[in-house]
Amino acid sequence: MKKNLIAIATIFITLVACNTSNKINTDEATTLITEYLEENPLYETGKFNTNKQKLVTNKDKELIESIQRLSDEGLIAINNEKTRKKWFSKDSVYVISPTLTEEALPYLVKQNKNSAQVKTIIYKLNNKKITLEKSTEKMATCVVVLDKEKTPFYSFGKDPYPNSNFITQKFKLKYNERSGWKIIKRSE
């Protein structure tokens, strides 16, 4: 009986000793943030017009190049309804109706009748740059560097940080005795 009590006490002390620290380290924070970003990816969006469009060569040169690039990559199909040349001008006029193909599905956020909301930038975790700013036994704040990955639809959106290849994000974490550490808030 005495041996059983000693064994139980030893196991209890071992468990308590292992669990006394609720502090989180950068490896644990990296794992939490990686899992969070897999479930809730961060991205920027833009609008891609799938309605009938009238494009003029000189005026809409960049748009025509972007649409042609998407077509070459197989992300859209172009129904070229009419091509004509203006009188006494170097401008050609194209009347097209672009449609998204199945290859565009990973970039599609929402589709409407005449347009589609598409991902223009996807943010990926840079594992080298995670820092813990504040850490207590119940709360922690992490600063994370996210690399920008431009999608083929990049030219159809606005880049909020055009002069940088990365952004920084703050994640607030909270400790719960039952479930452990969880991300409770993401802020810029």
Side-chain angles (χ1 to χ4, degrees):
M1 177 84 170
K2 194 174 185 181
K3 288 181 183 179
N4 287 342
L5 286 175
I6 293 173
I8 291 173
T10 305
I11 291 172
F12 179 76
I13 290 172
T14 305
L15 289 174
V16 170
C18 292
N19 258 347
T20 55
S21 176
N22 299 343
K23 295 276 185 183
I24 188 166
N25 61 35
T26 54
D27 292 335
E28 294 168 325
T30 301
T31 303
L32 279 172
I33 293 168
T34 302
E35 291 171 359
Y36 177 84
L37 289 174
E38 286 174 5
E39 294 175 16
N40 309 297
L42 297 178
Y43 52 82
E44 301 292 338
T45 62
K47 182 179 176 183
F48 180 74
N49 190 355
T50 55
N51 201 11
K52 184 187 271 189
Q53 302 175 43
K54 183 178 179 180
L55 306 173
V56 180
T57 305
N58 286 344
K59 188 176 116 184
D60 301 316
K61 184 178 179 181
E62 290 180 18
L63 180 59
I64 291 171
E65 289 173 357
S66 296
I67 289 174
Q68 186 61 49
R69 190 172 42 254
L70 290 173
S71 177
D72 293 344
E73 292 179 22
L75 297 168
I76 64 169
I78 299 174
N79 181 8
N80 194 359
E81 296 182 12
K82 196 188 304 184
T83 304
R84 64 181 172 148
K85 200 162 176 99
K86 285 186 177 180
W87 293 102
F88 303 110
S89 174
K90 294 180 181 179
D91 282 349
S92 293
V93 177
Y94 301 94
V95 179
I96 63 168
S97 296
T99 57
L100 297 170
T101 64
E102 284 189 36
E103 284 78 18
L105 284 176
Y107 307 110
L108 184 65
V109 177
K110 182 180 177 184
Q111 192 169 14
N112 299 319
K113 183 178 179 182
N114 296 323
S115 66
Q117 188 178 13
V118 291
K119 296 176 186 175
T120 57
I121 299 172
I122 300 172
Y123 296 107
K124 301 285 184 178
L125 181 64
N126 180 330
N127 289 330
K128 298 174 186 169
K129 298 287 183 181
I130 291 183
T131 54
L132 288 168
E133 278 190 344
K134 302 174 189 173
S135 183
T136 65
E137 289 189 16
K138 297 281 184 186
M139 300 290 285
T141 302
C142 297
V143 178
V144 178
V145 175
L146 300 172
D147 294 325
K148 287 171 37 176
E149 183 181 295
K150 296 177 182 177
T151 72
F153 291 96
Y154 177 76
S155 60
F156 294 94
K158 291 186 180 179
D159 190 344
Y161 311 99
N163 299 328
S164 177
N165 292 327
F166 61 90
I167 63 167
T168 57
Q169 282 285 304
K170 284 187 179 182
F171 289 89
K172 292 189 178 181
L173 294 89
K174 186 175 183 180
Y175 182 77
N176 183 323
E177 291 181 18
R178 292 183 186 154
S179 57
W181 287 97
K182 283 190 174 184
I183 294 175
I184 57 168
K185 188 176 181 185
R186 177 185 62 83
S187 60
E188 293 183 27

